[in-house]
Amino acid sequence: MKQIALYGKGGIGKSTTSANLSAALSDCGLDVMQIGCDPKHDSTRMLMQGEWIPTVLDLVREHGDANVGVPDAVFTGYGGIRCVEAGGPEPGIGCAGRGIIATFQLLQRLEALYGDVIVYDVLGDVVCGGFAMPMRDGYAQEIYLVTSGEFMSLYAANNICKAIARLSRRTRSVCSLAGVICNAKNIPGEEALVREFAERVNSRLVAYIPRANIVQVAEVNQRTVIEYAPESEQAEVYRNLARTIMENTNLTIPTPLEMHELEELARSYITL
Ligand code: SF4
C-alpha cells in the first residue's frame, strides 16, 4: 500500500489536486482512499459530487468513538474512492491535531485503512503537532509539496521541508520528500522558480499544473476535472501526475533553505 500526502499552504489548490489525483489513480484501476485533514473539510467534496460528508471529529464528538462505524465515517465517491474528512478545530480553540489523531485511531480500530493508495490531503500553514501527525506516526510515507511561485506558498513549503527533515531523523518515522508540484498562479517565471526551489531543497519538480479555467468550471459543477472533462488537456495533466507518483522511487531527505536564501531565490525570479 502506497501512502502519500500532499502538503501545502491553505488555498494553494491541494484539495483540487488531491481529488483529481485520486480520480486519475482510480481510473487506472487502483483501490484508492482519500483522507482530508483541513478545517475546511472540503477535500473530498468534488469526489462526492458536491456532498459535504460528516467529519470524524464531529462524529466522535457527538456519538463517542465506540459508536462510530465505517458507514458513518467512510463514504464512497467517484470510481469507488473511499472518502474521509478528519475535521478541524473549533474557532478560537484549535485542535492540536485531534482531528487527524481521532481519524487514524478510528480507521485503525475499524480496519478501514487499506487499499492500493491512500492520499492524505493535509493543511500545511502552521507547524503544529497536528500538522506533523501523519508524517510522525508513519502514515504518510511520501510527501509531495504543493506550491505556486508566490513567496508565502514557497515559505510554507520550505517549513514543511523543515518538518520532514526533523522527523526523518527519528527512528519511528519513515517519511521522505517525494517531489514538488507547481500549481501555477500564472506568475512570470513561475515554473523555473519552483523548479529551482525543488532542486535547492534536494528534490525535484514532478508536475507543473497550469492554471486552467476548466478547473473552475468542473468545480462549480461539483466534479473533478477527471470526471467532468476527461478529454481536456488539464485531465491529462492530472493523469500524468498520477503516473509519475505511482512510478516515483526518488525519495529524499529535504535540505530546507534559510530565510535569507529563500528570499534571495524569490527576488531573483520575481521582479518588475
Ligand atoms: S494547524 Fe494544528 S491546530 Fe490548526 S487545524 Fe491543523 S492540526 Fe489543528
Side-chain angles (χ1 to χ4, degrees):
M1 182 169 72
K2 208 169 164 76
Q3 300 198 73
I4 64 169
L6 273 65
Y7 273 83
K9 182 181 172 296
I12 199 62
K14 280 183 313 301
S15 296
T16 306
T17 310
S18 301
N20 277 287
L21 170 65
S22 292
L25 289 168
S26 100
D27 278 1
C28 297
L30 295 166
D31 180 3
V32 183
M33 180 169 207
Q34 181 168 321
I35 301 178
C37 176
D38 187 319
K40 290 205 313 299
H41 59 86
D42 60 354
S43 169
T44 60
R45 238 185 115 208
M46 297 305 132
L47 295 168
M48 296 296 306
Q49 304 201 331
E51 189 192 331
W52 294 93
I53 62 174
T55 73
V56 170
L57 203 55
D58 284 343
L59 289 166
V60 168
R61 239 185 242 132
E62 279 161 36
H63 308 287
D65 181 76
N67 300 316
V68 181
V70 171
D72 306 311
V74 185
F75 293 80
T76 306
Y78 173 82
I81 299 167
R82 280 165 290 114
C83 300
V84 176
E85 291 286 345
E90 292 169 59
I93 297 178
C95 82
R98 273 188 305 129
I100 191 77
I101 292 169
T103 302
F104 285 139
Q105 285 172 345
L106 182 84
L107 295 177
Q108 232 155 18
R109 178 175 66 74
L110 299 173
E111 296 181 353
L113 272 181
Y114 62 87
D116 298 315
V117 194
I118 302 186
V119 176
Y120 297 103
D121 170 14
V122 190
L123 179 74
D125 279 338
V126 191
V127 184
C128 79
F131 146 94
M133 255 297 293
M135 301 190 225
R136 203 181 55 204
D137 286 2
Y139 293 103
Q141 293 146 2
E142 299 176 22
I143 313 286
Y144 288 89
L145 302 175
V146 184
T147 181
S148 70
E150 284 177 328
F151 183 73
M152 286 318 289
S153 156
L154 290 167
Y155 174 76
N158 194 51
N159 269 346
I160 298 157
C161 287
K162 286 184 190 165
I164 303 170
R166 200 174 306 121
L167 289 164
S168 63
R169 287 196 284 271
R170 296 194 187 171
T171 44
R172 261 178 76 207
S173 178
V174 287
C175 68
S176 24
L177 181 57
V180 177
I181 297 167
C182 178
N183 198 30
K185 294 260 186 193
N186 274 3
I187 301 166
E190 190 168 26
E191 185 172 359
L193 167 57
V194 177
R195 188 182 301 280
E196 182 165 349
F197 168 77
E199 285 162 10
R200 294 272 296 270
V201 298
N202 190 30
S203 187
R204 66 189 177 116
L205 185 69
V206 290
Y208 173 78
I209 303 176
R211 204 173 170 83
N213 194 40
I214 190 68
V215 176
Q216 310 304 320
V217 177
E219 203 148 301
V220 295
N221 285 282
Q222 303 181 323
R223 303 284 190 279
T224 60
V225 176
I226 294 286
E227 183 179 8
Y228 183 77
E231 308 301 330
S232 63
E233 279 177 32
Q234 196 73 0
E236 193 52 26
V237 170
Y238 292 121
R239 280 192 287 266
N240 280 336
L241 173 63
R243 279 190 284 268
T244 304
I245 286 179
M246 287 316 286
E247 288 163 10
N248 191 8
T249 52
N250 195 341
L251 307 176
T252 61
I253 295 174
T255 52
L257 301 177
E258 296 293 335
M259 191 60 179
H260 71 272
E261 294 174 313
L262 186 65
E263 284 172 343
E264 272 165 29
L265 174 66
R267 260 198 305 271
S268 67
Y269 284 91
I270 304 171
T271 50
L272 274 178

